[in-house]
Amino acid sequence: MDKHFMKMALDLAVKGEGFTSPNPMVGAVVVRDGEVVGKGFHEAVGKAHAEVNAIDDAGASAKGSTLYVTLEPCNHTGRTPPCTEKILAAGIERVIVAMDDPNPDVTGGGNAYLRSRGIDVISGVCEAEAKRQNEVFIKHIRTRRPFVIVKCAATLDGRIATKTGDSRWVSGEESRKFVHRLRHAADGIMVGIDTVKKDDPSLTTRLEDMAGRDPARIILDTRLSISRDAKLLGLDSDADTFLITGDSVPEDKKAEIESTGAKVIESPVKEGRIDLDPLMDRLSEMGITSLLIEGGSRVIASALKARIVDKIHFFYAPKILCGDDGVPICKGTGPELMKECLTVKDMNVRRFGDDVMIEGYM
C-alpha cells in the first residue's frame, strides 16, 4: 500500500513539470484509515510546497494520518516556511518519503527533525522512480551544472536531413508533440547557427492541452553571423534569446543584434568553435539547470565528445535515405576503433506513431 500511495504522489509531482525549476518536482498524498484525504504538488517556483498543499487539502482529516511525499520535507526557510513545521502542526503521525534531499547541505535534515519530534519516518519507497523523475534537480544541486539532453530525429540509415539540408519532416507528428513536452520541461534549448540559417526555427513550445513554457534559446554563433531578420530575433516570448559568440566580434555588430532584444554573450573558443565545457558553467550561473540540444550535427557531435551530455532521445523514423550524401546525426571525425565509441546505458525504447525513440544515459 505504501508503494500504491507513493505512485499517486509521483503522478501528482509530474503536474509541476516545466514550472518548478530550479526547484524539484514534488507530489504529496495524505492518507487516513486507508483513504486519500488530501492531495497536492509543487505547482511553481515560489509557490507552496507539495506537503503544504496536500495538508491544506486534507484539512482536519490530516490529524493522525500518513503523509506520502516524493522528496524529503524541507527543514529550512527559503521562499516558503519549512514543511516540517507544517507537518507537525497538522498532527500527522507517519511520513513516508521516496528519496532524501540530494542537496549535500541539507540531506537527511528534514527526516531527522521529524523523527526527533516523534514522527515515524520511512524513506526509500519508490526511490528509483523518484530519482529518475528529478534527475535534473539531482545533477544540478550536486554539480552546479545543467542536466543536458540531446535530441535528434533520423532516418533508419542515420540521416537527419537530405543533401540539400531538407529535414521537414523526418519524424512524425506524435514524435514532434513529445519534443515540445521536452522543450516545456527544459530551462534552455541550444542549436548551432547553421540550424538557424537553414531552418529559421522559433524554438518555442507549442502544446495542445496547456500553455507551455518556452525555454531560453541559446544559439552557438562564434562570429555572430545571424541574420537580423531571423525569426528568433523577433519572437513574442517570455524567454530570452542568447547568442553565444567568441571574443572577436565587433561591438557595433553586437549592438545591432542586442537592439532586437537578444543578448550576446562571449564565451571561450576551442579550435574555432564555442568550447561547450566552460559554457555549461556559464549557463548554470544564468539559471539554466536543464538544457535540450537539438542540433545540428556538428553541435551534437561536439556535445557528445565534450562529455557534457547526460541523456539522449534519438528518434528513428521508418524512412531510408538510400545514400551517404545526407546529413548524419554526428558530423566530424570519429574514433578509429569501435571500442572507442561512447556507450549508452539504461536504455528504454518507446513508440510514437510509426517512429521509434531510443532513450538512454551516457
Side-chain angles (χ1 to χ4, degrees):
M1 292 303 292
D2 284 346
K3 289 183 178 179
H4 169 73
F5 290 122
M6 188 60 76
K7 287 180 179 179
M8 290 180 62
L10 288 165
D11 289 341
L12 284 166
V14 175
K15 293 184 177 183
E17 185 176 47
F19 300 110
T20 64
S21 179
N23 290 348
M25 294 177 283
V26 185
V29 175
V30 180
V31 177
R32 183 174 178 179
D33 298 327
E35 298 291 332
V36 175
V37 296
K39 297 179 181 179
F41 66 98
H42 184 37
E43 298 176 5
V45 62
K47 290 190 175 183
H49 287 187
E51 301 95 315
V52 173
N53 288 332
I55 291 170
D56 286 347
D57 188 41
S61 297
K63 187 174 183 179
S65 67
T66 296
L67 171 70
Y68 292 84
V69 60
T70 59
L71 181 69
E72 177 183 359
C74 64
N75 191 40
H76 59 278
T77 300
R79 289 185 175 93
T80 59
C83 291
T84 50
E85 299 298 341
K86 181 77 173 183
I87 292 169
L88 292 171
I92 288 172
E93 294 182 352
R94 188 169 177 251
V95 176
I96 311 297
V97 178
M99 60 174 283
D100 292 347
D101 193 319
N103 187 336
D105 296 330
V106 301
T107 297
N111 290 344
Y113 181 78
L114 291 173
R115 289 188 181 109
S116 72
R117 297 302 188 273
I119 304 293
D120 180 19
V121 179
I122 297 175
S123 184
V125 176
C126 298
E127 182 177 29
E129 295 94 322
K131 286 183 174 180
R132 179 66 61 91
Q133 188 177 77
N134 271 315
E135 57 194 9
V136 169
F137 176 72
I138 291 171
K139 181 190 177 180
H140 187 258
I141 202 68
R142 288 177 174 171
T143 68
R144 298 300 174 183
R145 283 166 69 92
F147 186 92
V148 179
I149 299 172
V150 164
K151 166 265 167 183
C152 72
T155 61
L156 291 180
D157 47 353
R159 296 295 187 264
I160 63 175
T162 67
K163 61 183 178 182
T164 64
D166 179 40
S167 61
R168 296 191 177 183
W169 295 102
V170 178
S171 57
E173 184 178 356
E174 293 303 312
S175 295
R176 297 197 298 274
K177 286 180 180 179
F178 180 77
V179 170
H180 280 281
R181 302 296 306 190
L182 293 178
R183 290 184 179 183
H184 168 70
D187 289 337
I189 180 171
M190 188 168 78
V191 299
I193 186 59
D194 287 347
T195 296
V196 174
K197 290 178 178 179
K198 290 175 182 175
D199 299 340
D200 195 21
S202 297
L203 302 181
T204 54
T205 298
R206 298 178 292 280
L207 301 178
E208 293 181 345
D209 56 342
M210 60 183 290
R213 185 181 67 105
D214 289 343
R217 294 166 290 274
I218 300 158
I219 316 303
L220 302 178
D221 189 2
T222 310
R223 298 173 183 82
L224 199 56
S225 59
I226 190 170
S227 168
R228 179 67 172 72
D229 298 324
K231 195 181 298 181
L232 286 164
L233 301 181
L235 292 173
D236 179 16
S237 172
D238 292 334
D240 289 323
T241 297
F242 298 99
L243 280 297
I244 311 299
T245 73
D247 60 3
S248 58
V249 176
E251 291 300 320
D252 60 338
K253 199 170 187 179
K254 291 181 185 178
E256 178 188 1
I257 296 302
E258 289 189 328
S259 69
T260 69
K263 300 177 182 179
V264 178
I265 296 177
E266 292 183 3
S267 190
V269 174
K270 184 178 181 181
E271 298 177 356
R273 298 183 179 277
I274 301 298
D275 190 348
L276 297 181
D277 186 63
L279 178 60
M280 295 303 104
D281 294 323
R282 181 68 181 274
L283 294 181
S284 179
E285 293 171 0
M286 292 160 51
I288 304 295
T289 69
S290 57
L291 178 67
L292 178 64
I293 297 177
E294 289 203 14
S297 58
R298 292 192 184 278
V299 173
I300 291 174
S302 297
L304 290 167
K305 290 176 182 177
R307 304 296 198 274
I308 65 167
V309 179
D310 298 287
K311 189 176 186 179
I312 63 165
H313 287 285
F314 279 21
F315 295 83
Y316 288 95
K319 300 174 182 178
I320 301 174
L321 205 56
C322 302
D324 64 357
D325 55 353
V327 181
I329 295 173
C330 293
K331 185 177 285 188
T333 303
E336 295 183 1
L337 302 175
M338 192 60 67
K339 66 180 181 180
E340 296 171 343
C341 289
L342 299 179
T343 56
V344 180
K345 63 181 181 179
D346 298 333
M347 289 198 306
N348 182 39
V349 179
R350 298 175 60 180
R351 286 283 297 271
F352 291 93
D354 291 331
D355 301 336
V356 175
M357 183 192 77
I358 296 178
E359 173 187 54
Y361 296 83
M362 305 306 301

